[in-house]
Amino acid sequence: MCLSLGCSSPHNPLNCIVPPHMLRVMALRGDDKTARMARSLLKQNAALRDERAEHVSPPPPAQDGGTFAPHAVSPAEGLCCPDRRIHDGDGKAALPGRLVRAEGDDATGDADVDLAYDGAGQVFSLFADEYGRNSLDGAGMPLIATVRHRRNYNNAFWNGDQMAYGTGDGEVFRTFLELSVIGHEMAHGVIQHSGGLIYENQSGALNESIADVFGALSLQRSLGQQIHDADWLVGRGILGPGINGVALRSMKAPGTAYADDLLGQDPQPWHMDHFVTTTEDNGGVHINSGIPNHAFYLFCNYIGGKSWELPGQVWYRALQQLNNPMASFQQWADQTMDAVTAIAGRGTIEAVLLRRAWKLVGIAI
Amino acid sequence: MIIDITAQGGFGGITAAAMKKTIDVDQQPRQMQQELCDAFEPRELQRLTRTPCPDCADRLTYRITVTEGQENPQVFTLREDQLPPEMLDLIDQM
Ligand SMILES: [Zn+2]
């Protein structure tokens, strides 16, 4: 691989020794000096690849038994490193606010800012190193985030262009800067740029579930956790100190994340028999997401190992190929079956176990 | 004029986590009264409901009820991104 990039920098031995995926890790996790060097090498490698590409014919289309959806992103050429831009909202609603940490800047010592920066790097790394995706849009878009959005704001969101995190009011929520939450919001960006899932009813609950899945994978991967060691919680520790609950949602046991006098009982179902029909929350998108969430958890639990590897690849591929913004749970389940067949093969144990996972939540495929 | 605001939705999807506010505009300082009357003028709220919302993941939805004198209350449902930042700041101050 190194040879294909060309060894044009004799003064930089790393360029010909360290493969790009390791450079990306160094760019994200190394100390300031190492990270700067790794970023510079990656940029140099990308430029060299572009230069080479001008002199070669494009490769033939992939023959993988299926055509990618129009919005699918091919594994990125020139995939380099994130371009993070963290802003401070100063308690106001205007976005993005004041730029406080740009890519490559030293840590600020402000916990919210540094968590947003580091978290964005972890999520970028998940999509880049595991699935070959260059940022949320697949084309290297900057990762813009605002911390301290509004005042006592009990929410975090993706607005189509950037992430925004409130501080919480200190009573119901104490923070939103937790890696599964950051991964969730950024995954909304990936979903948007993968053809989208309309944010209401079943397609909206799928949008929410896929965001939870990649939020959980971001966290587990950053901790190096095996499937059976993970807690499968989304938003662990973000609830206020007086709230009786461990997290916002549980993929392992939907409906059990909290039970509190103020918040009531976690309303998530894990089976289609308990699907909630409501006009609130865009048709219960944060409620019914418990069903596909649990199917993903069950699949991981059967397979074992690392969730971001085969299970994550299956979910990512299914998202890339879906091409149906109004997909139902059934259609999504079918798409994941197509994906596992393409990745692991027809009739394999992985395909059998995925079918079993969907069946257990009440979806027959 | 009485303004009632409730919100639902958001990342947590927890109704109890969202705020509920009632404000009697006549009881506010004069400058605030003017700001509130301008921002919550029913025709303005009606116009905002028509703003498109291309991507609303995890946004709050506000239900705003405006009651003027003896008239029937007027109810508007607005997504967070349909409200200008200045109006959201005003809601946060209320
Ligand atoms: Zn969401």
Side-chain angles (χ1 to χ4, degrees):
Chain A
M1 174 167 274
C2 188
L3 280 176
S4 74
L5 296 172
C7 298
S8 63
S9 297
H11 57 284
N12 250 333
L14 273 177
N15 201 18
C16 282
I17 296 167
V18 186
H21 71 273
M22 284 187 71
L23 284 175
R24 283 197 292 277
V25 172
M26 291 164 69
L28 284 166
R29 299 179 192 158
D31 59 34
D32 289 343
K33 195 175 159 202
T34 311
R36 234 182 318 251
M37 185 192 293
R39 269 194 300 274
S40 138
L41 291 173
L42 281 162
K43 279 187 182 135
Q44 210 172 311
N45 289 346
L48 280 166
R49 262 197 302 265
D50 287 348
E51 215 171 274
R52 279 182 64 239
E54 285 173 12
H55 303 289
V56 296
S57 308
Q63 300 293 315
D64 65 350
T67 315
F68 264 65
H71 295 278
V73 171
S74 303
E77 275 295 313
L79 197 160
C80 177
C81 29
D83 176 7
R84 290 165 286 186
R85 302 175 193 178
I86 311 301
H87 299 254
D88 192 335
D90 292 312
K92 298 284 191 186
L95 290 172
R98 187 165 51 89
L99 181 65
V100 284
R101 189 172 177 192
E103 189 62 44
D105 287 353
D106 292 338
T108 61
D110 179 320
D112 282 0
V113 172
D114 293 335
L115 281 167
Y117 183 90
D118 294 342
Q122 296 282 3
V123 180
F124 178 93
S125 171
L126 169 75
F127 284 104
D129 294 336
E130 304 300 335
Y131 314 126
R133 187 184 189 89
N134 188 6
S135 192
L136 309 182
D137 64 347
M141 80 182 281
L143 302 174
I144 303 169
T146 300
V147 302
R148 290 188 278 273
H149 177 65
R150 298 183 59 182
R151 193 192 290 178
N152 294 327
Y153 183 61
N154 277 335
N155 199 19
F157 62 83
W158 162 258
N159 80 343
D161 299 310
Q162 70 156 94
M163 295 75 72
Y165 307 99
T167 58
D169 61 1
E171 187 185 349
V172 179
F173 287 103
R174 63 168 103 201
T175 184
F176 286 90
L177 288 160
E178 186 274 340
L179 188 51
S180 67
V181 178
I182 294 170
H184 175 107
E185 296 310 334
M186 292 174 67
H188 277 308
V190 172
I191 295 163
Q192 176 187 322
H193 289 285
S194 301
L197 279 161
I198 291 171
Y199 204 66
E200 58 184 16
N201 303 324
Q202 287 201 15
S203 58
L206 285 173
N207 194 322
E208 272 304 307
S209 171
I210 294 165
D212 275 352
V213 163
F214 288 106
L217 300 194
S218 301
L219 179 61
Q220 290 177 25
R221 182 170 176 271
S222 80
L223 298 171
Q225 267 179 338
Q226 299 285 311
I227 283 166
H228 296 121
D229 296 329
D231 60 20
W232 293 92
L233 296 172
V234 176
R236 181 182 181 147
I238 70 170
L239 294 173
I243 300 291
N244 183 34
V246 289
L248 201 51
R249 294 187 273 277
S250 168
M251 299 176 70
K252 183 175 182 176
T256 66
Y258 58 86
D260 180 78
D261 289 345
L262 178 63
L263 301 189
Q265 172 88 32
D266 173 1
Q268 284 211 310
W270 62 270
H271 192 281
M272 287 302 283
D273 284 354
H274 304 288
F275 184 93
V276 177
T277 303
T278 173
T279 55
E280 293 200 349
D281 186 26
N282 296 293
V285 296
H286 293 91
I287 298 173
N288 293 313
S289 54
I291 296 167
N293 273 4
H294 195 54
F296 182 78
Y297 161 76
L298 288 170
F299 179 48
C300 289
N301 194 41
Y302 295 149
I303 296 277
K306 294 167 178 163
S307 59
W308 59 90
E309 293 185 346
L310 183 115
Q313 285 163 8
V314 169
W315 249 241
Y316 182 75
R317 183 185 174 89
L319 178 64
Q320 293 302 293
Q321 302 227 346
L322 183 61
N323 201 23
N324 178 4
M326 296 178 72
S328 63
F329 287 2
Q330 180 72 58
Q331 289 166 326
W332 171 251
D334 290 340
Q335 197 69 59
T336 63
M337 278 307 295
D338 289 351
V340 80
T341 302
I343 291 170
R346 192 174 299 281
T348 54
I349 187 71
E350 289 85 356
V352 169
L353 293 174
L354 180 59
R355 182 173 279 112
R356 185 182 296 176
W358 281 115
K359 191 176 176 197
L360 257 176
V361 302
I363 294 171
I365 44 177
Chain B
M1 182 164 87
I2 307 287
I3 303 167
D4 278 296
I5 303 177
T6 60
Q8 61 162 15
F11 169 74
I14 301 174
T15 304
M19 58 80 184
K20 285 186 174 64
K21 289 183 179 182
T22 298
I23 189 159
D24 184 344
V25 177
D26 299 337
Q27 301 299 313
Q28 304 306 309
R30 184 163 293 276
Q31 194 189 336
M32 183 75 157
Q33 277 187 25
Q34 193 56 52
E35 279 185 55
L36 289 167
C37 286
D38 292 347
F40 291 89
E41 211 280 307
R43 257 181 311 185
E44 172 63 6
L45 292 176
Q46 190 62 49
R47 186 187 67 78
L48 291 172
T49 60
R50 293 191 287 269
T51 322
C53 176
D55 194 304
C56 298
D58 297 328
R59 307 307 295 268
L60 300 176
T61 300
Y62 288 97
R63 188 180 159 90
I64 301 176
T65 307
V66 180
T67 311
E68 291 181 284
Q70 301 302 310
E71 291 176 24
N72 285 336
Q74 298 187 67
V75 183
F76 304 90
T77 302
L78 285 149
R79 292 179 303 259
E80 188 180 9
D81 58 296
Q82 292 177 310
L83 298 171
E86 310 77 50
M87 195 156 165
L88 294 171
D89 288 339
L90 199 55
I91 289 175
D92 289 344
Q93 280 175 45
M94 283 163 70

